[in-house]
Amino acid sequence: MEMFCYQCEQTAGGKGCVKMGVCGKDPEVAALQDLLIYLLKGIGFYGQKILEKGKKIDKETHKFVMDAMFATLTNVNFDAERFVEYINKAYKIKENLKELAGNIEENIPDAANYKIPSTKEEMIDDAKKVGVMADEDLDQDIRSLRELLIYGLKGMAAYAHHAYVLGKTDETVNNFFYKGLAATLNDNLTIDDLFNLNMELGQVNFKCMELLDSANTGAYGNPEPTEVLITKKKGPFIIVSGHDLKDLKELLEQTEGKGINIYTHGEMLPAHAYPELKKYPHLVGNYGGAWQDQQKEFDNIPGAILMTTNCLQKPRDSYKDRIFTTSIVGWPDVAHIEEVNGKKDFTPLIEKALELGGWQEDEEEKKILVGFGHNTVLSLSDKIIEAVKKGDIRHFFLIGGCDGARPGRNYYTEFAEKTPKDTIILTLACGKYRFNKKDFGKIGEFPRLLDVGQCNDAYSAIKIAVALADAFECDVNELPLSMILSWYEQKAVCILLTLLSLNIKNIYLGPTLPAFISPNVLQVLVDKFNIKPISNAEADMKEILG
């Protein structure tokens, strides 16, 4: 059985995974994900018809759409049986929306009329007819823009999910999922139509990231500069990876007084800066680096691990008995903790940590600084502006994004190291692990490296840039600011669409360009926004600074 997937940066040969996903996704799971997306397009068709009639769609359907989209994002869910459940539920929802939509006086696309079979094997057979490359005659630019829209929607689904679990939702965001999904079934849409829809997605995702920022800060306070331990402490421990701050908070509550140290990992590092999370003394530090190092870092580890969202890799046998998933995340035969009546019981995770005993001694302490979200940075804006006007700060570099294992990503380390001492580095997402443990010194009272947060905190970076542009009475593109971005999966796609929809230009992007972007679409992006593939750190630095 073969597959085809090219949604992530590490896709095989830079063209597409056809035997096995580089991420670890097998052809069976790939097929079921394709079929789920096909059903979601059918949901989108009926959902859009309902919205056009001025009717509303219930919040349970909104939640299913965002969760199902999120489940197909790279490195999230690898469990075939969970996808069969999603497919069965998607079909029921599609049929319910079909009834609610009423009479439709136009040709109904196949995805909206599709009836699911009863077995997983039949579902996999059907999936072969509906995958990315199923329609061999489809114009490659149309395919490219449709896939760009789908992957952007997957990324936005992750952010919408995180906001939703904290009680924040927005009808504009919710409703755009139906509009975007329906658009991929509409053969009457031109290249210009689809391009404009991708730009609209960028605008809607900006609203979604703002919503998530409001949810996180409303629940846990504004991030503040905080030193974080990055070395081991003696005793039992649990490592928490992913993005879900609510899961972390519940675990902190359930482990109080139990003698268990809690470490963040990967994208969870910014949690240490939130007042309502860092008040727990047993949130002791951050363990390890970016997601792609987890197999090595978790190997035979004497503690338990909780994966709250992506990025999950295939667990090695040496720690498969001590890694737990929750929420959207899944791997076959790995313990999964479900939410029951709005709460999660982490007892099995806690018991495993106590059983394993943890590290036997303390390491010599080392710390890094996090917590430079928009609230903190903008509170210092007068001093920053003065430093720029005096010539103390010559340039700002935003260096960050999704990290990955492909060779060539050392570019971002080299670039950070080559930044002149009169420049400031803003960084976010797991791309920062390439250099965030290095000492870049200070400019006056400002650390040269300012950790803005995780990938959804791109909203903070944009807000900072817009505020500086307002202060200097110029366009964002006229600021002494350069964006050096890495991408890996679909959250990075929707962030890029957001930046482009705000007409932010001259972005350096790497380590490779997306395989799903056709040459013609790429040329439009280059012509319109001057997107630049990274070359080498020295040459790009010279081009930027002159």
Side-chain angles (χ1 to χ4, degrees):
M1 179 182 176
E2 291 194 349
M3 58 181 279
F4 184 83
C5 181
Y6 63 177
Q7 70 176 1
C8 85
E9 191 271 334
Q10 289 183 184
T11 195
K15 295 179 179 178
C17 295
V18 294
K19 299 287 186 185
M20 185 81 179
V22 172
C23 64
K25 178 169 62 176
D26 63 29
E28 180 177 88
V29 169
L32 293 170
Q33 288 187 0
D34 285 345
L35 190 61
L36 177 58
I37 292 295
Y38 187 65
L39 278 161
L40 285 164
K41 290 177 181 180
I43 287 173
F45 175 81
Y46 290 120
Q48 184 62 13
K49 295 301 175 189
I50 289 166
L51 294 172
E52 287 171 359
K53 292 181 177 181
K55 299 179 183 178
K56 289 194 172 184
I57 298 171
D58 63 274
K59 65 179 182 179
E60 289 77 16
T61 298
H62 292 327
K63 185 176 188 302
F64 176 79
V65 170
M66 66 180 73
D67 287 359
M69 292 289 288
F70 188 6
T72 69
L73 191 145
T74 303
N75 289 93
V76 173
N77 197 321
F78 300 81
D79 190 338
E81 299 310 317
R82 294 265 300 276
F83 280 107
V84 171
E85 292 175 15
Y86 275 123
I87 287 166
N88 283 317
K89 188 169 182 180
Y91 180 70
K92 289 179 183 176
I93 288 173
K94 178 176 74 70
E95 292 302 295
N96 288 340
L97 293 181
K98 180 179 181 179
E99 186 175 339
L100 187 59
N103 187 44
I104 297 173
E105 296 179 357
E106 62 182 78
N107 290 331
I108 296 175
D110 291 342
N113 275 329
Y114 174 69
K115 291 181 172 57
I116 61 169
S118 57
T119 69
K120 180 175 72 175
E121 290 69 29
E122 290 171 309
M123 290 177 184
I124 290 168
D125 284 340
D126 280 358
K128 297 172 186 176
K129 307 165 192 171
V130 301
V132 175
M133 294 296 180
D135 183 356
E136 296 178 358
D137 298 325
L138 185 64
D139 178 270
Q140 68 167 343
D141 298 329
I142 294 289
R143 189 195 317 277
S144 177
L145 288 165
R146 285 180 178 178
E147 293 306 306
L148 180 60
L149 192 58
I150 289 292
Y151 304 150
L153 287 169
K154 289 186 181 192
M156 188 170 77
Y159 298 140
H161 164 90
H162 292 308
Y164 188 95
V165 298
L166 291 175
K168 293 282 188 178
T169 186
D170 180 272
E171 283 301 291
T172 300
V173 174
N174 294 337
N175 292 344
F176 190 81
F177 284 106
Y178 307 100
K179 182 176 182 177
L181 287 163
T184 64
L185 298 175
N186 188 343
D187 291 332
N188 295 321
L189 294 181
T190 66
I191 287 173
D192 285 343
D193 293 332
L194 287 167
F195 180 86
N196 290 335
L197 271 168
N198 275 286
M199 292 300 100
E200 185 179 350
L201 169 56
Q203 292 284 333
V204 175
N205 183 60
F206 186 64
K207 182 183 284 286
C208 186
M209 291 194 297
E210 183 179 26
L211 186 73
L212 179 53
D213 179 79
S214 172
N216 285 336
T217 57
Y220 309 117
N222 282 303
E224 52 195 31
T226 304
E227 283 193 321
V228 180
L229 185 75
I230 56 170
T231 45
K232 300 172 186 173
K233 287 183 71 71
K234 181 180 178 181
F237 64 90
I238 295 170
I239 294 166
V240 186
S241 191
H243 304 71
D244 200 309
L245 299 180
K246 184 181 178 185
D247 284 338
L248 176 62
K249 178 71 158 56
E250 288 191 13
L251 181 63
L252 288 168
E253 291 170 347
Q254 292 179 37
T255 49
E256 273 191 296
K258 288 185 166 61
I260 297 174
N261 292 324
I262 306 297
Y263 295 84
T264 57
H265 172 268
E267 287 278 36
M268 194 61 80
L269 169 61
H272 293 273
Y274 288 92
E276 287 301 308
L277 297 174
K278 72 176 187 175
K279 70 181 184 183
Y280 292 91
H282 61 300
L283 179 62
V284 296
N286 186 77
Y287 176 75
W291 67 272
Q292 75 273 5
D293 296 326
Q294 68 187 253
Q295 289 177 323
K296 176 178 64 179
E297 292 173 347
F298 294 167
D299 191 28
N300 207 30
I301 202 165
I305 307 144
L306 177 66
M307 302 299 295
T308 67
T309 59
N310 60 319
C311 299
L312 174 67
Q313 289 187 300
K314 180 181 180 179
R316 292 179 177 175
D317 290 340
S318 63
Y319 64 87
K320 195 173 183 181
D321 67 328
R322 58 203 67 179
I323 188 168
F324 294 73
T325 60
T326 191
S327 185
I328 310 298
V329 193
W331 190 279
D333 304 320
V334 163
H336 187 75
I337 295 173
E338 290 281 4
E339 182 177 271
V340 180
N341 298 323
K343 288 287 183 182
K344 294 181 182 179
D345 182 0
F346 290 113
T347 299
L349 175 72
I350 293 167
E351 289 176 345
K352 177 60 72 172
L354 291 170
E355 173 196 326
L356 291 166
W359 286 302
Q360 297 304 303
E361 58 185 27
D362 292 340
E363 279 186 333
E364 183 181 351
E365 285 195 357
K366 293 181 183 176
K367 294 182 177 182
I368 58 174
L369 190 61
V370 304
F372 289 92
H374 60 84
N375 188 69
T376 293
V377 175
L378 294 182
S379 72
L380 301 170
S381 60
D382 289 346
K383 293 179 180 179
I384 293 172
I385 291 162
E386 183 183 356
V388 172
K389 288 179 177 177
K390 286 170 61 180
D392 294 339
I393 299 176
R394 178 172 31 148
H395 205 85
F396 297 88
F397 293 97
L398 174 60
I399 311 173
C402 295
D403 204 6
R406 186 192 291 274
R409 286 181 178 264
N410 57 322
Y411 165 94
Y412 296 94
T413 311
E414 293 169 8
F415 193 96
E417 290 173 338
K418 289 182 182 298
T419 56
K421 297 195 182 301
D422 58 353
T423 62
I424 294 282
I425 302 169
L426 302 168
T427 191
L428 49 78
C430 58
K432 64 174 166 258
Y433 282 106
R434 293 276 165 178
F435 49 81
N436 70 334
K437 293 171 185 173
K438 296 179 179 291
D439 184 3
F440 290 94
K442 291 186 171 185
I443 299 176
E445 64 181 278
F446 303 113
R448 283 196 56 234
L449 179 65
L450 304 179
D451 187 339
V452 177
Q454 59 187 41
C455 61
N456 63 278
D457 290 312
Y459 170 75
S460 268
I462 294 168
K463 194 162 182 177
I464 291 166
V466 170
L468 289 174
D470 288 344
F472 286 109
E473 298 181 347
C474 68
D475 184 85
V476 169
N477 295 308
E478 296 171 322
L479 284 171
L481 167 68
S482 299
M483 297 189 181
I484 320 296
L485 304 182
S486 55
W487 82 283
Y488 172 69
E489 40 84 323
Q490 296 77 58
K491 295 196 300 297
V493 172
C494 70
I495 289 171
L496 180 63
L497 290 174
T498 293
L499 293 172
L500 300 182
S501 75
L502 295 169
N503 199 37
I504 292 175
K505 299 180 179 180
N506 307 315
I507 295 170
Y508 286 75
L509 184 65
T512 60
L513 296 178
F516 54 82
I517 298 291
S518 68
N520 288 335
V521 172
L522 176 60
Q523 193 59 51
V524 170
L525 296 177
V526 170
D527 292 343
K528 191 171 178 63
F529 302 107
N530 201 26
I531 287 181
K532 302 181 182 191
I534 61 171
S535 58
N536 65 74
E538 188 171 352
D540 289 346
M541 183 70 71
K542 186 175 180 180
E543 182 178 49
I544 290 166
L545 294 179

